[in-house]
């Protein structure tokens, strides 16, 4: 039935206005063709775009992009991969064992913006073409993006690193604390989402401004927390004392050596380490290593996916590359912090 | 190595030199303060901004309207737009893309296509569009299909305080409470977008193809429909896959009753912000004598034809024509 439909389609195109008719065929190369293509470049230690194997793509961070609806936000671009992060705040009741601790929650959102493969709900669209194409999705560890795994990874990194002091998120001891909701929207997926999402989350946290609060005891009980919103965009003739307080915004204190910075590398051809892969390279690599370090040399997280065996020297090389990356990214983040 | 020997070697190697002890102490201190994996907050709610005590301030418009986005605000008249920024070709993965910023309202649009579809998945007149904001053209004998979807950015597309106001309960920051109202708005926006865009495209040149238009509202601050339609039109032009008769431009206008002594007059505000829109809607429902509302218009400027005309709220004919 499909074949007859295809024939019918051909016929339609021939007899109709051929000048305007467009026949679209997704003629993407299969896995072996992609590998052959990439090998011709990696054999001379370079990549199709000319980038050396151990260099990342240019990274851009734009903080405070959404200043009205969020309390902290940033847009991160690593090459063509773009991730927009926004932070919204909720107030909650802390657990009994940790009466002064706040909470951090992360979610990652994929959509048809990210790439053609995703539908509106963020789920992968099923492929209708030959079996070879679909195989690449399951054999390589980054054939498709597992959103929940990514969320879990980045959330775990944020919570277990010493980046945040959860006591700073306290409003009233034992009664209320901030819950920081970080939402990463992937605007364009061109590989290396782990780095981009983590960098987005971290730069948004650096940009986060906790507002001044007023506790409303009218409802009885423990009181309801309300935000004193700063008067932006318009001035009020009679500013009460409350609004003057509104300019008391606190930012989270982040120490210099505690920012977790990640680097994702793919292992290609058993020995070549491809740092910061693009989408086309990701689909072909059989092993992926993600190392998260801080500039003090502390390894926050080390993840290796894929069934490829790696020698300890290769692992050590990956960690060294990650530490180098951490130094340059931290400089970038702290210079933004000073500039704001 | 046998296990015991390797353990000895390991143990001997990790004795830190004395110079690093201070740093270690710092790390130890911070270790106590790290978040545990299981402690989470319960009963989370969205904190609302403090309500001002004077009723006058909440029901009346601020005297001066500001344009722009951010602290450098210049005052604008009732008939002028906010600061406008347009950019195209920003998403490399999409066939066409555009970003429209009207003051604080930021809308991103991406176009994919044309994609071939089988006739079984073509919509028929009795189609069900499933959950969410999709909308389909009625199936015609020739021509392609335009598929539009509008989504608000999760959690921050609409200001959380506004969502909390519109949903019945403010407890449980889980957007399920406010999710239904934003979902309805998404469906309505998708439908309006579909209606506004389809007259401007020559879809008969693309038989059995579908063009996907996906709009994401990154930040909504009033006049979202206007921004969305403009962005979609720009993105379609940027995609360069379908013949377009003209670009479509759109804008909303809010009518708010004025508190002047002249009771007949209403303030007509072009490109309203979220507060002005809410004020207009509130006054249309509460104050039946004066009314109030929002009118949205989308037109093709070169052809001088209107593709969408929508009015919400009641107002007398003179205000509406204004």
């Amino acid at each position: 039935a499909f074949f007859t439909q295809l024939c019918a389609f051909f016929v339609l195109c021939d007899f109709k206005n051929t000048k305007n008719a467009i026949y679209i065929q997704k003629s993407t190369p299969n896995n072996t063709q992609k590998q052959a293509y990439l090998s011709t470049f990696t054999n001379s230690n370079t990549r199709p775009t000319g980038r050396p194997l151990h260099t990342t793509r240019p990274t851009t961070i734009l903080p405070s992009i959404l200043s009205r609806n969020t309390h902290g936000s940033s847009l991160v671009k690593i090459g063509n991969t773009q991730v927009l992060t926004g932070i919204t705040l909720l107030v909650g009741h802390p657990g009994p064992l940790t009466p002064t601790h706040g909470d951090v929650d992360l979610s990652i959102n994929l959509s048809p913006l990210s790439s053609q493969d995703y539908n509106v709900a963020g789920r992968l669209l099923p492929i209708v073409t030959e079996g070879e194409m679909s195989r690449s999705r399951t054999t390589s560890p980054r054939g498709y993006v597992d959103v929940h795994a990514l969320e879990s990874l980045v959330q775990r990194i944020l919570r277990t690193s010493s980046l945040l002091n959860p006591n700073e998120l306290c409003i009233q001891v034992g009664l209320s604390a901030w819950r920081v909701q970080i939402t990463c929207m992937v605007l364009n997926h061109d590989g290396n989402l782990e780095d981009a999402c983590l960098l987005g989350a971290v730069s948004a946290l650096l940009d986060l401004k906790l507002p001044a609060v007023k506790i409303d005891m009218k409802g009885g009980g423990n009181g309801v927390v309300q935000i004193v919103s700063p008067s932006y965009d318009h001035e009020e003739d009679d500013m009460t004392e409350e609004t003057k307080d509104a300019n008391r915004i606190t930012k989270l204190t982040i120490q210099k050596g505690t920012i977790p910075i990640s680097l994702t590398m793919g292992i290609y051809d058993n020995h070549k380490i491809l740092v910061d892969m693009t989408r086309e390279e990701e689909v072909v690599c059989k092993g992926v290593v993600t190392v998260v370090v801080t500039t003090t040399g502390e390894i926050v997280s080390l993840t290796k996916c894929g069934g490829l065996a790696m020698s300890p020297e290769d692992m050590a090389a990956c960690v060294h590359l990650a530490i180098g990356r951490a130094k340059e990214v931290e400089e970038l983040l702290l210079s933004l912090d000073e500039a704001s | 190595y046998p296990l015991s020997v390797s353990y000895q070697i390991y143990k001997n190697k990790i004795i830190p030199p004395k110079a690093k002890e201070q740093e270690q102490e710092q790390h130890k201190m911070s270790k106590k303060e790290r978040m545990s994996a299981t402690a989470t907050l319960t009963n989370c709610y969205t904190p609302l901004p403090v309500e001002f005590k004077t009723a006058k301030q909440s029901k009346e418009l601020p005297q001066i309207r500001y344009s722009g986005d951010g602290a450098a605000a210049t005052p604008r008249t009732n008939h002028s737009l906010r600061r406008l920024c347009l950019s195209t070709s920003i998403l490399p993965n999409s066939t066409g893309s555009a970003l429209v910023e009207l003051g604080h309202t930021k809308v991103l649009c991406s176009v994919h296509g044309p994609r071939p579809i089988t006739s079984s998945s073509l919509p028929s007149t009795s189609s069900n569009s499933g959950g969410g904001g999709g909308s389909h053209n009625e199936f015609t004998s020739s021509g392609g299909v335009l598929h539009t979807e509008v989504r608000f950015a999760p959690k921050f597309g609409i200001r959380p305080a506004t969502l909390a106001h519109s949903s019945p309960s403010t407890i449980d920051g889980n957007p399920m409470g406010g999710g239904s109202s934003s979902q309805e708005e998404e469906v309505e926006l998708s439908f309006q977008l579909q209606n506004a865009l389809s007259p401007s495209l020559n879809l008969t040149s693309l038989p059995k193809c579908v063009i996907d238009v996906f709009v994401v509202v990154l930040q909504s601050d009033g006049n979202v429909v206007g921004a969305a339609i403009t962005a979609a039109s720009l993105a379609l032009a940027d995609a360069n896959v379908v013949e377009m008769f003209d670009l479509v431009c759109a804008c909303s206008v809010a009518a708010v009753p004025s508190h002047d002594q002249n009771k007949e007059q209403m303030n007509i505000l072009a490109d309203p912000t979220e507060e002005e829109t809410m004020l207009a809607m509130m006054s249309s429902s509460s104050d039946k004598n004066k009314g109030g509302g929002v009118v949205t218009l989308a037109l093709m400027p070169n052809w001088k034809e209107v593709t969408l005309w929508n009015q919400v709220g009641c107002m007398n004919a003179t205000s509406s024509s204004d």
Side-chain angles (χ1 to χ4, degrees):
Chain A
F2 179 69
F3 189 67
T4 48
Q5 254 177 8
L6 207 61
C7 285
F9 197 101
F10 274 85
V11 166
L12 212 66
C13 288
D14 281 338
F15 285 103
K16 284 239 169 176
N17 214 343
T18 44
K19 192 174 79 169
N20 290 335
I22 299 173
Y23 176 49
I24 302 95
Q25 181 189 28
K26 225 178 176 179
S27 57
T28 42
N30 60 19
N31 231 8
T32 42
Q33 288 172 343
K34 284 185 199 173
Q35 280 183 355
Y37 177 67
L38 193 58
S39 294
T40 55
F41 290 94
T42 52
N43 286 336
S44 33
N45 278 340
T46 182
R47 286 195 248 208
T49 52
R51 180 161 61 112
L53 292 183
H54 293 182
T55 317
T56 54
R57 291 172 285 181
T59 311
T60 315
I61 306 178
L62 299 166
S64 291
I65 281 231
L66 306 172
S67 49
R68 185 182 180 267
N69 284 4
T70 60
H71 294 275
S73 53
S74 73
L75 173 65
V76 170
K77 298 190 213 184
I78 298 185
N80 277 338
T81 302
Q82 300 174 9
V83 172
L84 176 72
T85 317
I87 295 187
T88 46
L89 292 174
L90 294 177
V91 175
H93 192 95
L97 291 175
T98 52
T100 53
H101 279 207
D103 193 16
V104 169
D105 195 23
L106 181 92
S107 71
I108 298 183
N109 179 262
L110 287 169
S111 56
L113 287 181
S114 336
S115 82
Q116 286 199 17
D117 302 332
Y118 295 92
N119 73 358
V120 185
R123 295 209 185 83
L124 273 182
L125 285 173
I127 323 177
V128 194
T129 53
E130 329 87 62
E132 291 245 32
M133 259 289 281
S134 55
R135 222 189 293 146
S136 74
R137 280 196 181 179
T138 44
T139 49
S140 79
R142 288 289 183 275
Y144 65 97
V145 176
D146 188 350
V147 179
H148 297 292
L150 194 57
E151 279 178 7
S152 158
L153 176 71
V154 180
Q155 184 159 349
R156 197 172 4 113
I157 294 171
L158 286 178
R159 299 189 92 169
T160 57
S161 74
S162 32
L163 171 71
L164 286 180
N165 184 355
N167 291 326
E168 289 180 355
L169 298 174
C170 175
I171 306 174
Q172 296 166 292
V173 177
L175 295 176
S176 55
W178 290 115
R179 178 180 211 160
V180 176
Q181 278 187 325
I182 308 177
T183 313
C184 298
M185 281 193 70
V186 177
L187 297 180
N188 202 49
H189 176 28
D190 193 23
N192 205 0
L193 279 185
E194 299 92 357
D195 281 5
C197 289
L198 181 64
L199 195 56
V202 166
S203 50
L205 280 170
L206 283 173
D207 183 51
L208 175 64
K209 302 172 188 62
L210 295 173
V213 293
K214 173 176 161 272
I215 296 156
D216 183 18
M217 303 297 288
K218 279 186 236 164
N222 291 332
V224 170
V225 174
Q226 291 179 329
I227 297 183
V228 184
S229 47
S231 53
Y232 72 101
D233 263 11
H234 55 262
E235 308 196 4
E236 277 140 25
D237 289 330
D238 40 359
M239 288 233 290
T240 58
E241 274 190 22
E242 297 162 352
T243 50
K244 280 179 194 158
D245 263 351
N247 296 323
R248 233 189 335 118
I249 313 170
T250 47
K251 292 189 83 163
L252 299 176
T253 55
I254 302 220
Q255 285 178 319
K256 189 163 169 253
T258 58
I259 306 177
I261 292 155
S262 69
L263 187 62
T264 304
M265 299 154 267
I267 314 297
Y268 187 67
D269 229 359
N270 281 334
H271 283 296
K272 301 205 189 277
I273 301 178
L274 296 179
V275 167
D276 190 14
M277 302 172 282
T278 63
R279 185 86 190 110
E280 296 138 358
E281 295 162 6
E282 262 188 359
V283 174
V284 172
C285 283
K286 292 241 166 25
V288 179
V289 178
T290 303
V291 185
V292 183
V293 290
T294 64
T295 47
T296 51
E298 179 185 299
I299 299 181
V300 178
S301 158
L302 199 154
T303 321
K304 177 197 163 294
C305 305
L308 196 69
M310 279 181 75
S311 63
E313 290 86 27
D314 282 343
M315 274 302 210
C318 292
V319 175
H320 278 292
L321 283 170
I323 293 180
R325 169 82 171 151
K327 295 208 170 95
E328 47 179 58
V329 173
E330 195 178 44
E331 259 183 59
L332 180 63
L333 284 172
L334 291 178
S335 69
L336 285 175
D337 211 16
E338 283 161 17
S340 68
Chain B
Y1 292 115
L3 220 61
S4 55
V5 176
S6 61
Y7 179 67
Q8 286 298 323
I9 296 175
Y10 168 67
K11 206 172 148 200
N12 288 336
K13 277 190 184 167
I14 59 163
I15 295 172
K18 295 236 167 173
K20 285 195 179 172
E21 254 183 29
Q22 262 195 348
E23 258 192 76
Q24 286 238 327
E25 285 234 0
Q26 228 182 24
H27 277 266
K28 268 194 192 167
M29 278 297 288
S30 55
K31 263 188 192 171
K32 277 191 227 164
E33 311 290 359
R34 278 182 207 184
M35 281 184 214
S36 84
T38 50
T40 48
L41 304 179
T42 52
N43 287 342
C44 293
Y45 58 90
T46 316
L48 296 172
V50 171
E51 301 278 338
F52 287 114
K53 291 183 185 143
T54 53
K56 175 187 145 195
Q57 279 178 329
S58 62
K59 280 198 186 155
E60 210 181 62
L61 291 171
Q63 301 289 18
I64 314 170
R65 302 173 86 202
Y66 281 88
S67 76
D69 160 19
T74 50
R76 58 172 174 147
T77 63
N78 283 355
H79 293 257
S80 63
L81 299 178
R82 290 173 283 184
R83 186 187 303 161
L84 174 70
C85 291
L86 308 167
S87 33
T88 53
S89 296
I90 37 181
L91 301 177
N93 272 1
S94 313
T95 318
S97 56
L99 171 71
V100 169
E101 300 182 38
L102 275 166
H104 280 289
T105 302
K106 299 189 207 298
V107 171
L108 183 62
C109 175
S110 125
V111 169
H112 287 298
R115 269 199 271 245
I117 45 174
T118 59
S119 61
S120 59
S121 51
L122 273 176
S124 58
T125 47
S126 61
S127 71
N128 60 329
S129 30
S135 59
H136 299 272
N137 245 344
E138 281 200 355
F139 176 55
T140 49
S141 56
S142 68
V145 171
L146 180 73
H147 181 187
T148 56
E149 295 263 5
V150 178
R151 285 276 183 271
F152 286 93
K155 300 218 176 85
F156 53 80
I158 310 183
R159 213 186 207 175
T162 320
L163 260 184
H165 269 301
S166 60
S167 81
S169 70
T170 53
I171 300 184
D172 193 3
N174 191 343
M176 277 308 164
S180 55
S181 67
S182 73
Q183 216 180 20
E184 286 165 13
E185 224 182 304
E186 286 175 357
V187 177
E188 202 186 312
L189 279 176
S190 310
F191 191 61
Q192 286 179 352
L193 190 63
Q194 169 94 43
N195 285 340
L197 286 178
S198 17
S200 71
L201 305 175
N202 183 14
L203 289 171
T204 53
S205 61
L206 295 174
K208 297 237 174 178
C209 290
V210 63
I211 297 181
D212 270 319
V213 174
F214 182 67
V215 174
V216 172
V217 180
L218 300 174
Q219 215 181 28
S220 85
D221 186 23
N223 202 8
V224 172
V225 196
I229 295 173
T230 317
S233 200
L234 271 178
L236 281 165
D238 180 49
N240 215 4
V241 290
V242 61
E243 275 181 357
M244 295 181 74
F245 297 123
D246 197 0
L247 289 175
V248 182
C249 323
C251 188
S252 310
V253 172
V256 178
S258 62
H259 286 255
D260 289 346
Q261 287 166 354
N262 187 352
K263 285 187 186 172
E264 298 288 319
Q265 247 184 3
M266 298 188 74
N267 277 335
I268 311 289
L269 306 167
D271 191 16
T273 63
E274 194 176 34
E275 285 124 4
E276 291 162 0
T277 322
M278 290 207 317
L279 205 64
M281 301 310 300
M282 259 176 19
S283 56
S284 84
S285 57
S286 62
D287 205 345
K288 296 260 165 71
N289 293 333
K290 293 187 183 170
V294 178
V295 175
T296 307
L297 197 71
L299 54 83
M300 301 200 283
N302 291 322
W303 284 62
K304 295 190 168 56
E305 288 180 358
V306 171
T307 56
L308 174 75
W309 185 336
N310 188 30
Q311 174 174 327
V312 184
C314 57
M315 53 185 102
N316 52 32
T318 45
S319 315
S320 184
S321 61
D322 276 342

